[in-house]
């Protein structure tokens, strides 16, 4: 190229005349995410990125920025929507203020197994796609977290035992749950939880065994109750303008890889649920199912939350729950 450049230097011709058409140029897309590098969601994103690179012959390269290193968990949606980044991963329930349809999978005990989560996802998808579309966004794929369990520093035999605990919440639902059990909810996103546990700012939380592993919860908490309360989803969204700017072959490759990542992600979630519970136990946590009393009482709290949520839910949110119940 140096020779060509020096030839051109004398002619006044711009070098860009010789470069490839825009569509054929390689593009790099930054993908912000909020969870730890070893978290199965992040691992799945890396595989998705590798698949896209491979399928497009390197024309589209996705660079994953995990651990909220590029944007905070709560900022990723806006960053994608405003085109600061073309693509991102976000815990969907964090968007409940925009439309309650985003939080239907964060309701305790509405859908609390992988089978139920699949059924909920199937009815939630068209409604979520509709809302995202109106915002200039497109859902590429979504993957559930493993079932949510309760972690505490002491034995919890019923919700009364949760009263007064410094309870970490990650969204509106978990904050409400904390209130209803008379704990002291404080909302903290994943990247800051390990420190909040270490300093005692929080001493209880509801999250997956995967997250408990990311947080090394065993360093301060002894009990993990596998109450399997719900399976919230992370979704990968793309800015529609960025997507539309891709050539057709690249779009198709991206969508095909997204479908693969969704399948692989659901399978990985199931495996991770079991594997990470073992990690907790190996590190000394008491991993056990919740007592019948605890599960029944949490179920009651969930029932109340569902009723409250339905009374204010958006039409899309209501449609999801009624379709799910059919
Ligand atoms: N972990 C995420 C949300 C759901 C989960 O299992 C968190 O701790 O923020």
């Amino acid at each position: 190229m140096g020779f060509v450049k020096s030839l051109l230097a004398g002619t006044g011709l711009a070098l860009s005349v010789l470069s490839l058409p825009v569509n054929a140029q390689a593009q790099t897309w930054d993908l912000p995410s909020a969870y730890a590098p070893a978290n199965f969601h992040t691992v799945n994103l890396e595989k998705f990125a590798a698949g896209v690179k491979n399928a497009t012959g390197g024309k589209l390269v996705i660079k994953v920025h995990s651990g909220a290193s590029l944007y905070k968990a709560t900022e990723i949606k806006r960053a994608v929507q405003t085109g600061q980044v073309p693509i991102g991963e976000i815990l969907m329930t964090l968007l409940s203020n925009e439309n309650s349809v985003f939080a239907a999978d964060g309701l305790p005990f509405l859908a609390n197994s992988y089978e139920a989560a699949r059924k909920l996802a199937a009815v939630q998808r068209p409604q979520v796609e509709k809302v995202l579309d109106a915002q200039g966004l497109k859902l590429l794929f979504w993957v559930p977290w493993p079932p949510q369990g309760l972690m505490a520093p002491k034995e919890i035999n019923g919700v009364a035992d949760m009263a007064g605990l410094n309870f970490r919440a990650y969204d509106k639902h978990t904050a409400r749950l904390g209130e209803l059990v008379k704990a002291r909810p404080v909302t903290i996103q994943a990247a800051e939880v390990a420190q909040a546990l270490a300093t005692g700012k929080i001493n209880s939380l509801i999250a997956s065994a995967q997250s408990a592993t990311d947080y090394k919860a065993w360093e301060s908490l002894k009990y993990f109750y596998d109450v399997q309360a719900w399976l919230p989803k992370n979704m990968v969204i793309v800015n529609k303008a960025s997507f539309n700017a891709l050539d057709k072959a690249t779009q198709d490759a991206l969508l095909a890889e997204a479908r693969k990542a969704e399948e692989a992600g659901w399978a990985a979630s199931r495996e991770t649920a079991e594997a990470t519970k073992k990690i907790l136990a190996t590190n000394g946590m008491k991993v056990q199912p919740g007592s019948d009393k605890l599960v029944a009482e949490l179920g009651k709290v969930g029932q109340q939350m569902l009723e409250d949520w339905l009374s204010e839910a958006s039409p899309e949110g209501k449609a999801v729950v009624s379709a799910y119940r059919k």
Side-chain angles (χ1 to χ4, degrees):
M1 197 50 112
F3 174 66
V4 177
K5 235 185 198 161
S6 49
L7 263 187
L8 286 170
T11 69
L13 266 180
L15 185 61
S16 62
V17 172
L18 289 183
S19 47
L20 298 164
V22 171
N23 279 348
Q25 279 176 352
Q27 283 197 51
T28 298
W29 279 10
D30 288 314
L31 187 163
S33 82
Y35 304 99
N39 184 295
F40 85 99
H41 280 296
T42 314
V43 172
N44 195 48
L45 288 176
E46 295 285 7
K47 286 187 186 157
F48 165 67
V52 170
K53 186 175 178 187
N54 188 40
T56 62
K59 261 167 90 177
L60 183 57
V61 176
I62 293 175
K63 187 165 171 17
V64 178
H65 300 266
S66 62
S69 57
L70 202 54
Y71 290 96
K72 288 183 182 163
T74 51
E75 294 170 343
I76 293 173
K77 159 80 168 15
R78 178 136 297 276
V80 180
Q81 198 170 344
T82 56
Q84 293 170 66
V85 284
I87 190 169
E89 183 199 48
I90 180 166
L91 174 67
M92 190 163 55
T93 65
L94 295 184
L95 310 178
S96 64
N97 281 340
E98 293 184 21
N99 189 312
S100 43
V101 74
F102 290 128
D105 56 356
L107 287 160
F109 300 102
L110 178 65
N112 61 341
S113 66
Y114 280 96
E115 291 67 34
R118 271 225 186 253
K119 189 178 166 202
L120 180 63
V123 295
Q124 198 179 13
R125 179 169 229 133
Q127 301 291 345
V128 165
E129 283 178 341
K130 187 178 93 180
V131 175
L132 289 177
D133 188 67
Q135 299 179 333
L137 296 167
K138 183 176 172 61
L139 173 66
L140 279 185
F141 63 93
W142 58 17
V143 172
W145 285 89
Q148 304 292 287
L150 172 64
M151 287 160 256
K154 56 168 191 174
E155 268 185 60
I156 304 286
N157 294 312
V159 296
D161 296 330
M162 294 173 73
L165 289 175
N166 295 331
F167 181 76
R168 179 261 175 162
Y170 55 74
D171 65 356
K172 239 169 86 176
H173 286 324
T174 42
R176 178 75 184 131
L177 191 150
E179 270 169 28
L180 288 170
V181 301
K182 302 194 168 58
R184 281 191 288 244
V186 29
T187 302
I188 303 174
Q189 292 309 322
E192 271 96 48
V193 170
Q195 200 190 344
L197 279 169
T199 60
K201 186 174 176 187
I202 55 168
N203 64 0
S204 57
L205 66 154
I206 291 187
S208 56
Q210 166 71 80
S211 286
T213 302
D214 295 345
Y215 306 149
K216 294 194 168 67
W218 53 81
E219 289 184 354
S220 46
L221 305 178
K222 190 142 192 213
Y223 296 89
F224 182 93
Y225 293 100
D226 190 18
V227 292
Q228 312 206 348
W230 69 95
L231 294 82
K233 292 185 287 295
N234 274 4
M235 64 176 180
V236 175
I237 50 174
V238 62
N239 181 295
K240 267 200 314 188
S242 307
F243 180 81
N244 292 338
L246 299 171
D247 63 59
K248 179 78 168 63
T250 305
Q251 288 179 352
D252 290 347
L254 185 64
L255 295 178
E257 292 305 315
R259 279 191 294 275
K260 282 192 215 164
E262 179 156 316
E263 278 313 306
W266 281 70
S269 180
R270 273 178 192 265
E271 286 162 21
T272 299
E274 297 314 312
T276 50
K277 275 189 279 183
K278 287 198 187 110
I279 293 175
L280 301 184
T282 305
N283 284 284
M285 276 185 108
K286 289 197 169 159
V287 178
Q288 53 198 310
S291 67
D292 292 348
K293 179 171 147 69
L294 175 64
V295 173
E297 288 176 2
L298 283 175
K300 250 178 117 180
V301 170
Q303 190 58 38
Q304 183 181 343
M305 286 174 59
L306 175 61
E307 280 161 25
D308 294 349
W309 181 85
L310 275 174
S311 72
E312 334 178 310
S314 63
E316 295 85 7
K318 287 193 172 107
V320 168
V321 172
S322 63
Y324 175 71
R325 283 170 159 172
K326 266 187 201 140

